PDB file of all heavy atoms in Angstrom:
ATOM      1  N   GLN A 263       1.341  -9.237   8.098  1.00  0.00           N
ATOM      2  CA  GLN A 263       2.117  -9.100   6.847  1.00  0.00           C
ATOM      3  C   GLN A 263       3.558  -9.498   7.141  1.00  0.00           C
ATOM      4  O   GLN A 263       4.190 -10.215   6.330  1.00  0.00           O
ATOM      5  CB  GLN A 263       2.041  -7.650   6.327  1.00  0.00           C
ATOM      6  CG  GLN A 263       0.627  -7.236   5.925  1.00  0.00           C
ATOM      7  CD  GLN A 263       0.595  -6.749   4.514  1.00  0.00           C
ATOM      8  OE1 GLN A 263       1.469  -6.971   3.737  1.00  0.00           O
ATOM      9  NE2 GLN A 263      -0.567  -6.200   4.147  1.00  0.00           N
ATOM     10  N   TRP A 264       4.124  -8.997   8.194  1.00  0.00           N
ATOM     11  CA  TRP A 264       5.583  -9.269   8.587  1.00  0.00           C
ATOM     12  C   TRP A 264       5.669 -10.767   8.804  1.00  0.00           C
ATOM     13  O   TRP A 264       6.599 -11.395   8.363  1.00  0.00           O
ATOM     14  CB  TRP A 264       5.885  -8.373   9.724  1.00  0.00           C
ATOM     15  CG  TRP A 264       7.302  -8.478  10.214  1.00  0.00           C
ATOM     16  CD1 TRP A 264       8.332  -9.098   9.549  1.00  0.00           C
ATOM     17  CD2 TRP A 264       7.758  -7.956  11.470  1.00  0.00           C
ATOM     18  NE1 TRP A 264       9.446  -8.969  10.373  1.00  0.00           N
ATOM     19  CE2 TRP A 264       9.165  -8.281  11.442  1.00  0.00           C
ATOM     20  CE3 TRP A 264       7.224  -7.330  12.508  1.00  0.00           C
ATOM     21  CZ2 TRP A 264       9.981  -7.974  12.548  1.00  0.00           C
ATOM     22  CZ3 TRP A 264       7.975  -6.946  13.559  1.00  0.00           C
ATOM     23  CH2 TRP A 264       9.395  -7.211  13.591  1.00  0.00           C
ATOM     24  N   ILE A 265       4.801 -11.239   9.661  1.00  0.00           N
ATOM     25  CA  ILE A 265       4.912 -12.753  10.010  1.00  0.00           C
ATOM     26  C   ILE A 265       4.617 -13.608   8.806  1.00  0.00           C
ATOM     27  O   ILE A 265       5.283 -14.656   8.658  1.00  0.00           O
ATOM     28  CB  ILE A 265       3.938 -13.038  11.189  1.00  0.00           C
ATOM     29  CG1 ILE A 265       4.337 -12.280  12.466  1.00  0.00           C
ATOM     30  CG2 ILE A 265       3.933 -14.512  11.478  1.00  0.00           C
ATOM     31  CD1 ILE A 265       3.353 -12.365  13.596  1.00  0.00           C
ATOM     32  N   GLY A 266       3.667 -13.300   7.985  1.00  0.00           N
ATOM     33  CA  GLY A 266       3.313 -14.059   6.788  1.00  0.00           C
ATOM     34  C   GLY A 266       4.588 -14.098   5.905  1.00  0.00           C
ATOM     35  O   GLY A 266       4.791 -15.206   5.344  1.00  0.00           O
ATOM     36  N   GLY A 267       5.150 -13.005   5.706  1.00  0.00           N
ATOM     37  CA  GLY A 267       6.345 -12.995   4.795  1.00  0.00           C
ATOM     38  C   GLY A 267       7.472 -13.848   5.356  1.00  0.00           C
ATOM     39  O   GLY A 267       8.125 -14.633   4.527  1.00  0.00           O
ATOM     40  N   GLU A 268       7.739 -13.766   6.599  1.00  0.00           N
ATOM     41  CA  GLU A 268       8.785 -14.586   7.268  1.00  0.00           C
ATOM     42  C   GLU A 268       8.387 -16.028   7.053  1.00  0.00           C
ATOM     43  O   GLU A 268       9.272 -16.948   6.731  1.00  0.00           O
ATOM     44  CB  GLU A 268       8.874 -14.200   8.772  1.00  0.00           C
ATOM     45  CG  GLU A 268       9.525 -12.950   9.035  1.00  0.00           C
ATOM     46  CD  GLU A 268      11.110 -13.006   8.947  1.00  0.00           C
ATOM     47  OE1 GLU A 268      11.599 -14.089   8.802  1.00  0.00           O
ATOM     48  OE2 GLU A 268      11.714 -11.936   9.051  1.00  0.00           O
ATOM     49  N   LEU A 269       7.174 -16.489   7.317  1.00  0.00           N
ATOM     50  CA  LEU A 269       6.748 -17.844   7.289  1.00  0.00           C
ATOM     51  C   LEU A 269       6.813 -18.360   5.798  1.00  0.00           C
ATOM     52  O   LEU A 269       7.298 -19.556   5.639  1.00  0.00           O
ATOM     53  CB  LEU A 269       5.272 -17.942   7.729  1.00  0.00           C
ATOM     54  CG  LEU A 269       4.757 -19.378   8.007  1.00  0.00           C
ATOM     55  CD1 LEU A 269       5.612 -20.018   9.107  1.00  0.00           C
ATOM     56  CD2 LEU A 269       3.342 -19.300   8.378  1.00  0.00           C
ATOM     57  N   ALA A 270       6.569 -17.565   4.882  1.00  0.00           N
ATOM     58  CA  ALA A 270       6.689 -17.979   3.484  1.00  0.00           C
ATOM     59  C   ALA A 270       8.143 -18.260   3.026  1.00  0.00           C
ATOM     60  O   ALA A 270       8.378 -19.061   2.105  1.00  0.00           O
ATOM     61  CB  ALA A 270       5.983 -16.978   2.595  1.00  0.00           C
ATOM     62  N   ASP A 271       9.080 -17.554   3.619  1.00  0.00           N
ATOM     63  CA  ASP A 271      10.462 -17.868   3.369  1.00  0.00           C
ATOM     64  C   ASP A 271      10.906 -19.199   3.933  1.00  0.00           C
ATOM     65  O   ASP A 271      11.985 -19.706   3.477  1.00  0.00           O
ATOM     66  CB  ASP A 271      11.358 -16.749   3.943  1.00  0.00           C
ATOM     67  CG  ASP A 271      11.357 -15.475   3.100  1.00  0.00           C
ATOM     68  OD1 ASP A 271      11.011 -15.544   1.900  1.00  0.00           O
ATOM     69  OD2 ASP A 271      11.718 -14.377   3.704  1.00  0.00           O
ATOM     70  N   ARG A 272      10.135 -19.799   4.816  1.00  0.00           N
ATOM     71  CA  ARG A 272      10.514 -20.990   5.443  1.00  0.00           C
ATOM     72  C   ARG A 272       9.774 -22.245   4.992  1.00  0.00           C
ATOM     73  O   ARG A 272      10.357 -23.274   4.785  1.00  0.00           O
ATOM     74  CB  ARG A 272      10.388 -20.867   6.974  1.00  0.00           C
ATOM     75  CG  ARG A 272      11.505 -19.970   7.588  1.00  0.00           C
ATOM     76  CD  ARG A 272      11.056 -19.391   8.960  1.00  0.00           C
ATOM     77  NE  ARG A 272      12.196 -18.708   9.517  1.00  0.00           N
ATOM     78  CZ  ARG A 272      12.636 -17.483   9.136  1.00  0.00           C
ATOM     79  NH1 ARG A 272      11.995 -16.792   8.200  1.00  0.00           N
ATOM     80  NH2 ARG A 272      13.637 -16.970   9.773  1.00  0.00           N
ATOM     81  N   ILE A 273       8.436 -22.118   4.733  1.00  0.00           N
ATOM     82  CA  ILE A 273       7.683 -23.267   4.316  1.00  0.00           C
ATOM     83  C   ILE A 273       7.213 -23.237   2.921  1.00  0.00           C
ATOM     84  O   ILE A 273       6.593 -24.159   2.422  1.00  0.00           O
ATOM     85  CB  ILE A 273       6.554 -23.539   5.252  1.00  0.00           C
ATOM     86  CG1 ILE A 273       5.517 -22.428   5.139  1.00  0.00           C
ATOM     87  CG2 ILE A 273       6.946 -23.660   6.717  1.00  0.00           C
ATOM     88  CD1 ILE A 273       4.119 -22.672   5.908  1.00  0.00           C
ATOM     89  N   HIS A 398      11.897 -23.620   9.469  1.00  0.00           N
ATOM     90  CA  HIS A 398      11.545 -23.584  10.839  1.00  0.00           C
ATOM     91  C   HIS A 398      10.695 -22.360  11.152  1.00  0.00           C
ATOM     92  O   HIS A 398      10.598 -21.478  10.261  1.00  0.00           O
ATOM     93  CB  HIS A 398      12.829 -23.651  11.700  1.00  0.00           C
ATOM     94  CG  HIS A 398      13.731 -22.427  11.486  1.00  0.00           C
ATOM     95  ND1 HIS A 398      13.481 -21.051  11.911  1.00  0.00           N
ATOM     96  CD2 HIS A 398      14.950 -22.419  10.817  1.00  0.00           C
ATOM     97  CE1 HIS A 398      14.451 -20.332  11.503  1.00  0.00           C
ATOM     98  NE2 HIS A 398      15.341 -21.087  10.828  1.00  0.00           N
ATOM     99  N   PRO A 400       9.574 -18.719  12.359  1.00  0.00           N
ATOM    100  CA  PRO A 400      10.310 -17.495  12.415  1.00  0.00           C
ATOM    101  C   PRO A 400      10.729 -17.259  13.851  1.00  0.00           C
ATOM    102  O   PRO A 400      10.081 -17.414  14.877  1.00  0.00           O
ATOM    103  CB  PRO A 400       9.260 -16.424  12.001  1.00  0.00           C
ATOM    104  CG  PRO A 400       8.274 -17.152  11.218  1.00  0.00           C
ATOM    105  CD  PRO A 400       8.168 -18.564  11.830  1.00  0.00           C
ATOM    106  N   ARG A 401      12.062 -16.763  13.983  1.00  0.00           N
ATOM    107  CA  ARG A 401      12.670 -16.399  15.288  1.00  0.00           C
ATOM    108  C   ARG A 401      12.849 -14.924  15.312  1.00  0.00           C
ATOM    109  O   ARG A 401      13.241 -14.299  14.318  1.00  0.00           O
ATOM    110  CB  ARG A 401      13.972 -17.212  15.446  1.00  0.00           C
ATOM    111  CG  ARG A 401      13.762 -18.703  15.413  1.00  0.00           C
ATOM    112  CD  ARG A 401      15.124 -19.429  15.392  1.00  0.00           C
ATOM    113  NE  ARG A 401      14.884 -20.881  15.398  1.00  0.00           N
ATOM    114  CZ  ARG A 401      15.831 -21.734  15.040  1.00  0.00           C
ATOM    115  NH1 ARG A 401      17.037 -21.316  14.737  1.00  0.00           N
ATOM    116  NH2 ARG A 401      15.530 -23.080  15.106  1.00  0.00           N
ATOM    117  N   GLU A 404      16.126 -13.379  13.864  1.00  0.00           N
ATOM    118  CA  GLU A 404      16.132 -13.376  12.414  1.00  0.00           C
ATOM    119  C   GLU A 404      15.187 -12.294  11.848  1.00  0.00           C
ATOM    120  O   GLU A 404      15.447 -11.667  10.933  1.00  0.00           O
ATOM    121  CB  GLU A 404      15.861 -14.726  11.928  1.00  0.00           C
ATOM    122  CG  GLU A 404      16.891 -15.800  12.224  1.00  0.00           C
ATOM    123  CD  GLU A 404      16.489 -17.184  11.809  1.00  0.00           C
ATOM    124  OE1 GLU A 404      15.251 -17.458  11.828  1.00  0.00           O
ATOM    125  OE2 GLU A 404      17.335 -18.020  11.561  1.00  0.00           O
ATOM    126  N   MET A 405      13.961 -12.235  12.531  1.00  0.00           N
ATOM    127  CA  MET A 405      12.962 -11.315  12.081  1.00  0.00           C
ATOM    128  C   MET A 405      13.421  -9.843  12.150  1.00  0.00           C
ATOM    129  O   MET A 405      13.064  -9.027  11.400  1.00  0.00           O
ATOM    130  CB  MET A 405      11.660 -11.480  12.818  1.00  0.00           C
ATOM    131  CG  MET A 405      10.960 -12.797  12.504  1.00  0.00           C
ATOM    132  SD  MET A 405       9.416 -13.035  13.445  1.00  0.00           S
ATOM    133  CE  MET A 405       8.437 -11.741  12.740  1.00  0.00           C
ATOM    134  N   LEU A 406      14.317  -9.594  13.184  1.00  0.00           N
ATOM    135  CA  LEU A 406      14.775  -8.213  13.414  1.00  0.00           C
ATOM    136  C   LEU A 406      16.069  -7.982  12.791  1.00  0.00           C
ATOM    137  O   LEU A 406      16.642  -6.800  12.935  1.00  0.00           O
ATOM    138  CB  LEU A 406      14.868  -7.962  14.982  1.00  0.00           C
ATOM    139  CG  LEU A 406      13.574  -7.996  15.712  1.00  0.00           C
ATOM    140  CD1 LEU A 406      13.854  -7.922  17.220  1.00  0.00           C
ATOM    141  CD2 LEU A 406      12.611  -6.882  15.304  1.00  0.00           C
ATOM    142  N   ARG A 534      15.316 -13.881   1.717  1.00  0.00           N
ATOM    143  CA  ARG A 534      14.603 -13.004   2.527  1.00  0.00           C
ATOM    144  C   ARG A 534      13.451 -12.239   1.808  1.00  0.00           C
ATOM    145  O   ARG A 534      13.044 -11.262   2.290  1.00  0.00           O
ATOM    146  CB  ARG A 534      15.523 -11.997   3.209  1.00  0.00           C
ATOM    147  CG  ARG A 534      16.579 -12.696   4.165  1.00  0.00           C
ATOM    148  CD  ARG A 534      15.940 -13.096   5.452  1.00  0.00           C
ATOM    149  NE  ARG A 534      15.625 -11.911   6.308  1.00  0.00           N
ATOM    150  CZ  ARG A 534      14.840 -11.969   7.292  1.00  0.00           C
ATOM    151  NH1 ARG A 534      14.254 -13.161   7.621  1.00  0.00           N
ATOM    152  NH2 ARG A 534      14.598 -10.922   7.950  1.00  0.00           N
ATOM    153  N   GLY A 536      10.376 -12.933   1.002  1.00  0.00           N
ATOM    154  CA  GLY A 536       9.091 -12.916   1.696  1.00  0.00           C
ATOM    155  C   GLY A 536       9.050 -12.034   2.959  1.00  0.00           C
ATOM    156  O   GLY A 536       8.168 -11.224   3.106  1.00  0.00           O
ATOM    157  N   ALA A 537      10.158 -12.063   3.688  1.00  0.00           N
ATOM    158  CA  ALA A 537      10.295 -11.174   4.875  1.00  0.00           C
ATOM    159  C   ALA A 537      10.318  -9.726   4.527  1.00  0.00           C
ATOM    160  O   ALA A 537       9.637  -8.929   5.119  1.00  0.00           O
ATOM    161  CB  ALA A 537      11.455 -11.619   5.647  1.00  0.00           C
ATOM    162  N   GLY A 540       6.906  -8.603   3.338  1.00  0.00           N
ATOM    163  CA  GLY A 540       6.037  -8.486   4.513  1.00  0.00           C
ATOM    164  C   GLY A 540       6.287  -7.149   5.233  1.00  0.00           C
ATOM    165  O   GLY A 540       5.366  -6.485   5.726  1.00  0.00           O
ATOM    166  N   LEU A 541       7.558  -6.744   5.387  1.00  0.00           N
ATOM    167  CA  LEU A 541       7.902  -5.512   6.092  1.00  0.00           C
ATOM    168  C   LEU A 541       7.448  -4.332   5.250  1.00  0.00           C
ATOM    169  O   LEU A 541       6.930  -3.327   5.870  1.00  0.00           O
ATOM    170  CB  LEU A 541       9.434  -5.444   6.368  1.00  0.00           C
ATOM    171  CG  LEU A 541       9.932  -6.360   7.437  1.00  0.00           C
ATOM    172  CD1 LEU A 541      11.438  -6.529   7.418  1.00  0.00           C
ATOM    173  CD2 LEU A 541       9.502  -5.768   8.838  1.00  0.00           C
TER     174      LEU A 541
END
Side-chain angles (χ1 to χ4, degrees):
Q263 295 236 10
W264 184 13
I265 295 172
E268 288 279 356
L269 192 62
D271 281 341
R272 288 160 172 76
I273 67 173
H398 59 74
R401 297 169 181 166
E404 294 172 333
M405 291 179 66
L406 296 174
R534 299 282 291 164
L541 286 163

